[in-house]
Amino acid sequence: MPFLGQDWRSPGWRWVKTEDGWKRFEPFSPALENKNNQLNDISHAVILTGDEDEDIYTTEDCEFAAKKRKKDHCRNNTNSQCFYRENWIYVHKESTRERHGYCTLGEAFNRLDFSSAIQDIRRFNYVVKLLQLIAKSQLTSLSGAAQKNYFNILDKIVRKVMEDQYNPRLIKDLLQDLSSTLCILIRGVGKSVLVGNINIWICRLETILLWQQQLKNLQMNKQVNNGLTLSDLPLHMLSNILHRLSDGWDIITLGQVTPTLYMLSEDRQLWKKLCQYHFAEKQFCRHLILSEKGHIDWKLMYFALQKCYPIKEQYGDTLHFCRHCSILFWKKELTIFSLTSQDGGHPCTASDPNTCLMPVSPQHFIDLFKF
């Protein structure tokens, strides 16, 4: 009969018989070194020797033990990210006969593949905005595993920005909101719920401050290109590019590239259309700002209205929600190898899946898990 550990499902410890009696096997124990030498020729079996009988574990038991040790190692490794890599998750808010329990924000954040989504430029801004909203109000509602996943993804985002120099302003805003939230939580630790040791959160805050310093010292690499550049395009094409931008800060940043772009970025009609796109007529009629010449200063109005009202958000790709199946998912791209009528990346049972799809904004994603 083998000696089992505290968990009856485990294959147990390895024991050897010595002069002082039975002792548990330790890989680097000097006292048992001589006894262990005779086991070197056996790679996947455990021998329990007795006076009259002998028992050998099967290969299946040893494989189970190896899988268990590997799983425990992944759980204990703080730098690893052992989470699901799925494109969809079933969102259920109450127990049913088919499903027990309910889906939480932390579970959805773990199961949906946000780690790979940040590598796609169309989904990058969406994931960053979602992390920013979680940092503002939902950080303490995440489980310990979800919080660990959150900071692992954040680490990958900062590395990507440092390497590719893509949209550092968006990441700076995220880190600023996150550091402010952590400062409040750490100071009032007795009044709030923080999963994990307080020293872990202090280390995370120090890491965030280090990231902020690195982004502050970030220098944009000057690209040498002898081919066609942005300044070589005609004026009507440059103006068309500016009119397609939905963020006022992006327009100002692009206007700093060349004097021609600066002239186009100061166009009153450009800022007027931007105000009309983001805000209702009643909203900007209440906050009229006139210039010295008596004209409406649409540029100043945009930034004034931005402080009072939310602006419309645009993303290259978002999560989608199937109202028929109650499934939240990333849409799959159609390729020549998988041309199907069903565009959704989930097993939809509706006759026409496209009629059930609904794009999910970052705020809507959080609202789905509020009970």
Side-chain angles (χ1 to χ4, degrees):
M1 182 69 184
F3 291 89
L4 298 179
Q6 295 180 356
D7 188 353
W8 63 270
R9 296 167 298 181
S10 66
W13 292 314
R14 183 184 300 180
W15 295 80
V16 293
K17 190 174 182 180
T18 64
E19 296 178 356
D20 299 331
W22 288 92
K23 290 188 177 181
R24 192 172 64 183
F25 171 80
E26 296 180 2
F28 302 101
S29 176
L32 303 178
E33 185 175 359
N34 295 331
K35 290 290 183 180
N36 297 338
N37 290 334
Q38 63 183 354
L39 302 177
N40 291 336
D41 297 334
I42 304 176
S43 58
H44 297 290
V46 180
I47 301 179
L48 300 175
T49 56
D51 295 336
E52 297 180 355
D53 56 355
E54 168 176 300
D55 189 10
I56 300 179
Y57 274 164
T58 63
T59 305
E60 295 180 359
D61 295 332
C62 295
E63 290 179 354
F64 177 81
K67 291 181 180 179
K68 187 175 185 300
R69 287 193 300 269
K70 184 177 180 181
K71 186 176 182 181
D72 293 339
H73 173 72
C74 292
R75 287 179 177 177
N76 296 330
N77 186 6
T78 57
N79 295 325
S80 64
Q81 187 178 352
C82 303
F83 300 105
Y84 297 91
R85 289 183 173 272
E86 297 181 352
N87 291 323
W88 59 272
I89 183 174
Y90 181 79
V91 181
H92 52 108
K93 296 186 178 182
E94 57 184 6
S95 298
T96 61
R97 291 184 178 180
E98 293 78 12
R99 294 181 180 270
H100 178 68
Y102 57 92
C103 183
T104 62
L105 176 63
E107 182 182 358
F109 190 82
N110 281 343
R111 294 178 67 92
L112 293 172
D113 193 7
F114 289 106
S115 181
S116 299
I118 61 176
Q119 305 301 328
D120 191 340
I121 193 173
R122 297 168 300 177
R123 299 175 178 177
F124 182 83
N125 292 355
Y126 181 87
V127 177
V128 173
K129 183 62 177 180
L130 178 60
L131 264 63
Q132 187 175 12
L133 292 177
I134 293 176
K136 289 182 178 180
S137 60
Q138 302 295 323
L139 189 60
T140 55
S141 64
L142 298 180
S143 62
Q147 289 174 359
K148 177 177 155 185
N149 189 20
Y150 180 94
F151 284 96
N152 285 337
I153 294 176
L154 186 58
D155 182 35
K156 293 182 179 180
I157 290 176
V158 175
R159 291 182 183 180
K160 179 178 178 60
V161 173
M162 296 296 295
E163 295 174 359
D164 302 342
Q165 301 176 351
Y166 175 73
N167 207 346
R169 177 177 56 85
L170 189 63
I171 312 304
K172 290 179 181 179
D173 294 340
L174 166 60
L175 294 179
Q176 181 61 37
D177 293 336
L178 183 57
S179 61
S180 301
T181 302
L182 287 184
C183 288
I184 296 174
L185 294 177
I186 291 175
R187 291 173 184 173
V189 64
K191 300 180 181 179
S192 60
V193 179
L194 285 175
V195 179
N197 192 293
I198 186 64
N199 295 324
I200 297 178
W201 287 97
I202 294 176
C203 292
R204 288 172 176 173
L205 180 58
E206 293 176 351
T207 303
I208 294 171
L209 297 177
L210 178 61
W211 288 339
Q212 288 178 319
Q213 187 64 32
Q214 292 176 351
L215 291 174
K216 184 179 180 180
N217 299 331
L218 179 64
Q219 298 292 334
M220 296 294 179
N221 298 329
K222 185 176 181 180
Q223 297 182 357
V224 179
N225 190 359
N226 298 326
L228 186 66
T229 61
L230 187 64
S231 58
D232 297 328
L233 297 177
L235 292 178
H236 71 278
M237 294 185 66
L238 294 175
S239 178
N240 192 14
I241 293 174
L242 287 170
H243 278 79
R244 292 180 180 274
L245 298 178
S246 60
D247 192 338
W249 285 109
D250 291 338
I251 295 176
I252 293 178
T253 303
L254 185 58
Q256 297 174 352
V257 177
T258 62
T260 303
L261 288 171
Y262 175 77
M263 178 190 65
L264 294 175
S265 66
E266 295 294 323
D267 184 18
R268 292 181 62 254
Q269 292 298 323
L270 172 64
W271 291 98
K272 179 180 179 180
K273 290 183 179 179
L274 192 64
C275 290
Q276 292 175 343
Y277 172 76
H278 287 289
F279 310 107
E281 184 176 357
K282 294 181 179 180
Q283 294 175 343
F284 59 75
C285 286
R286 298 174 183 175
H287 300 81
L288 287 177
I289 301 177
L290 302 179
S291 62
E292 296 179 355
K293 297 181 180 180
H295 301 295
I296 299 177
D297 194 333
W298 294 102
K299 181 178 179 180
L300 292 179
M301 278 190 57
Y302 170 80
F303 291 103
L305 292 170
Q306 190 181 23
K307 297 178 181 180
C308 303
Y309 308 102
I311 62 175
K312 294 182 180 179
E313 299 175 355
Q314 283 187 343
Y315 303 101
D317 191 11
T318 66
L319 285 168
H320 286 71
F321 183 72
C322 180
R323 291 180 291 238
H324 180 267
C325 305
S326 297
I327 287 180
L328 189 66
F329 64 98
W330 289 108
K331 292 185 66 176
K332 291 182 179 180
E333 296 295 331
L334 293 178
T335 62
I336 58 175
F337 301 102
S338 60
L339 292 177
T340 59
S341 59
Q342 180 175 339
D343 190 24
H346 76 289
C348 185
T349 58
S351 56
D352 188 4
N354 293 327
T355 59
C356 308
L357 303 185
M358 179 180 63
V360 178
S361 65
Q363 184 61 52
H364 188 196
F365 176 87
I366 295 178
D367 294 339
L368 283 175
F369 304 97
K370 288 184 178 179
F371 304 101

